[in-house]
Amino acid sequence: MFDISQIREDFPILSREVYGKPLVYLDNAATTQKPLCVLDAMRDEYLNVNANVHRGVHYLSQQATDLHEAAREKVRQFINASKTEEIVFTRGTTEAINLVASSFCESQMQAGDEVIVTEMEHHSNIVSWQLQAMKRGIIVKHLPITDDGRLVCCDDIATYITERTKLISVAHVSNVLGTINPVEDIIRIAHAHGIPVLVDGAQSAPHFKVDVQAMDCDFFAFSGHKMYGPTGIGVLYGKEEWLDKLPPYQGGGEMIDKVTWEKTTFERLPFKFEAGTPDYVATHGLAKAIEYIESIGFDTIQQHEQELTRYCMEQLQSIEGMNIYGSQGTMGTVPSVSSEANCRGTVPCVRDAVVSFNVGDIHHLDMGTLLDRLGIAVRTGHHCAQPLMDRLGISGTVRASFALYNTKEEIDTLVAGIRRVAQMF
């Protein structure tokens, strides 16, 4: 059984007060809180095993290296990569996307070549490519979305592909709309044209099971801090065949084989992309976070979070002037588009663990600030998705996002808080 009270005991911060009110933390799409098992594991390593990895023959270094590489294996199992050589540690999803953008464009693209993203992307998956456009003259194209936040019909995606298209990069789940995109179908269409696909998994890895082999993506990126792990650590999965082709992203220690004044040769995978001392304590923390998630189980987590999302949307819709952005459709894992009758019009939309809204003419910043005084932590603004805000014709939203430790009672507090704020206006 899912004992929410026991779960919440693993997160001491949830029991604190803010402005004399019990904390209601609904900003999990930005970052999640950390369970004691993660904090204890990292503290223990600093106290008892702290030494630089890979470079020492002494006992502590070997212990630290074992923990670091055990974390790589844990990540491999978590996303079902075929080998640890395909797991590159980064500082987070943003660095992982920048790594691919830099190395891929340097070796695989020329001026005039195209990368395709979507209209709902996080800035990490827009600006990274725009920087390459400024440097190398590549072209960044975007797939449009409907008014309720769905991609165009998957069959129509092929019409955006040209002979100059070299890569498609797409969010698995929108951090604003909660839309779960049909990435398997996008990948199938892209591969039929010989085009690799990068999937931004920052908002999917914490919420439901990811299998990169079944998905058949070429790259997959996610962050530790959004899935109950430490900040400053993330993962880039890449198929070995692609990582072999790409040049190093940064230079320094760890990633070299041999250095002379005339030439440098590089380490084998994945170390070719891991310049400098890695955050080996954070990788251990990430492994513990994965173990924590697995101890509860994704079926349990997903069922709980979807029920919270459904309940929140139902309660919010009773508030006068409420405008919820994105589809009001089903919760859960996105169905294959190929199973839908002729894929008429748009991709079927599925929502996950995020609700973005505005109330009447109340500015999102005002709403968020006043909710904060009631102890309710939500995020306001453009959520690093300004092109999406432009598409929706708004400057920003209030966003409530859920994790495995949230409760319906917290949603009731949120709804009561919104009503109270609305009365003030």
Side-chain angles (χ1 to χ4, degrees):
M1 295 293 293
F2 185 67
D3 187 344
I4 190 65
S5 61
Q6 183 177 346
I7 291 292
R8 288 177 68 86
E9 288 179 2
D10 294 334
F11 299 84
I13 195 172
L14 299 178
S15 63
R16 70 160 297 180
E17 291 188 347
V18 178
Y19 303 120
K21 305 286 186 180
L23 172 65
V24 175
Y25 185 80
L26 300 175
D27 193 21
N28 297 285
T31 197
T32 52
Q33 301 302 332
K34 322 305 174 191
L36 284 170
C37 62
V38 170
L39 303 177
D40 290 344
M42 295 175 67
R43 183 175 187 271
D44 180 71
E45 182 164 2
Y46 273 125
L47 289 175
N48 298 301
V49 195
N50 185 43
N52 211 329
V53 296
H54 298 144
R55 304 175 185 177
V57 296
H58 60 83
Y59 179 77
L60 287 182
S61 178
Q62 292 179 13
Q63 260 198 314
T65 299
D66 288 345
L67 288 173
H68 181 63
E69 292 306 321
R72 198 186 305 274
E73 170 60 18
K74 174 59 69 174
V75 171
R76 184 202 68 77
Q77 295 173 9
F78 181 65
I79 61 173
N80 193 34
S82 62
K83 54 185 67 176
T84 55
E85 287 82 357
E86 297 178 324
I87 304 300
V88 178
F89 286 124
T90 66
R91 291 181 299 160
T93 306
T94 296
E95 184 176 52
I97 294 174
N98 274 271
L99 188 162
V100 175
S102 177
S103 296
F104 190 92
C105 290
E106 178 181 342
S107 61
Q108 307 295 318
M109 299 184 73
Q110 299 177 352
D113 285 344
E114 303 165 350
V115 60
I116 297 176
V117 298
T118 79
E119 211 165 16
M120 66 178 75
E121 297 304 318
H122 188 281
H123 291 166
S124 296
N125 202 27
I126 298 175
V127 181
S128 302
W129 302 105
Q130 288 179 334
L131 289 173
Q132 295 303 315
M134 288 187 285
K135 291 178 182 178
R136 306 180 191 280
I138 71 166
I139 297 170
V140 183
K141 297 167 61 176
H142 63 268
L143 299 173
I145 63 170
T146 61
D147 290 342
D148 63 350
R150 292 179 284 174
L151 287 177
V152 297
C153 175
C154 249
D155 289 342
D156 288 343
I157 289 173
T159 65
Y160 289 84
I161 296 173
T162 73
E163 70 279 0
R164 301 303 299 269
T165 304
K166 301 300 181 184
L167 185 136
I168 296 175
S169 190
V170 58
H172 202 169
V173 177
S174 166
N175 72 310
V176 176
L177 306 172
T179 306
I180 305 177
N181 285 317
V183 292
E184 290 186 7
D185 291 284
I186 294 171
I187 292 165
R188 172 180 52 81
I189 293 168
H191 285 179
H193 292 79
I195 299 168
V197 178
L198 164 64
V199 176
D200 173 356
Q203 300 295 336
S204 60
H207 299 291
F208 51 85
K209 180 63 180 174
V210 169
D211 185 330
V212 293
Q213 292 192 73
M215 192 190 305
D216 199 26
C217 59
D218 301 277
F219 304 98
F220 186 87
F222 65 97
S223 300
H225 74 98
K226 295 183 188 291
M227 46 183 287
Y228 316 103
T231 57
I233 192 67
V235 173
L236 172 67
Y237 158 81
K239 286 182 178 177
E240 185 177 26
E241 61 188 273
W242 276 112
L243 294 181
D244 274 335
K245 293 178 184 178
L246 302 186
Y249 173 54
Q250 296 175 319
E254 285 285 299
M255 49 77 69
I256 59 92
D257 173 36
K258 184 177 181 180
V259 176
T260 68
W261 290 118
E262 292 74 31
K263 183 180 180 181
T264 294
T265 56
F266 303 112
E267 256 283 19
R268 66 190 188 281
L269 295 176
F271 307 112
K272 180 175 77 170
F273 295 104
E274 295 181 353
T277 298
D279 195 341
Y280 51 85
V281 176
T283 60
H284 183 41
L286 174 59
K288 288 298 179 182
I290 290 173
E291 290 176 4
Y292 184 80
I293 290 171
E294 292 175 339
S295 72
I296 299 171
F298 267 125
D299 288 344
T300 300
I301 292 170
Q302 191 172 12
Q303 180 179 356
H304 176 68
E305 292 177 344
Q306 288 170 6
E307 180 59 31
L308 290 177
T309 307
R310 183 182 298 108
Y311 182 74
C312 182
M313 292 176 66
E314 289 172 354
Q315 298 304 306
L316 290 179
Q317 287 168 349
S318 67
I319 298 174
E320 185 178 356
M322 175 60 62
N323 188 359
I324 298 175
Y325 299 97
S327 172
Q328 311 297 302
T330 59
M331 315 293 164
T333 304
V334 70
S336 172
V337 172
S338 58
S339 68
E340 297 294 310
N342 300 322
C343 183
R344 292 188 180 92
T346 57
V347 170
C349 186
V350 186
R351 178 187 287 272
D352 187 71
V354 174
V355 180
S356 291
F357 63 91
N358 283 313
V359 181
D361 295 329
I362 303 173
H363 195 278
H364 48 85
L365 178 59
D366 292 333
M367 176 64 76
T369 300
L370 292 170
L371 288 176
D372 175 58
R373 300 298 296 187
L374 299 175
I376 304 166
V378 293
R379 190 151 292 257
T380 67
H382 54 66
H383 314 298
C384 294
Q386 286 179 304
L388 175 57
M389 297 297 118
D390 292 341
R391 170 63 180 83
L392 298 174
I394 56 178
S395 63
T397 74
V398 183
R399 184 183 72 188
S401 51
F402 312 113
L404 58 87
Y405 43 64
N406 289 125
T407 67
K408 286 186 176 180
E409 289 75 18
E410 290 180 313
I411 293 174
D412 291 339
T413 302
L414 169 68
V415 172
I418 295 170
R419 292 186 186 278
R420 182 173 175 181
V421 173
Q423 289 176 353
M424 296 173 62
F425 286 84

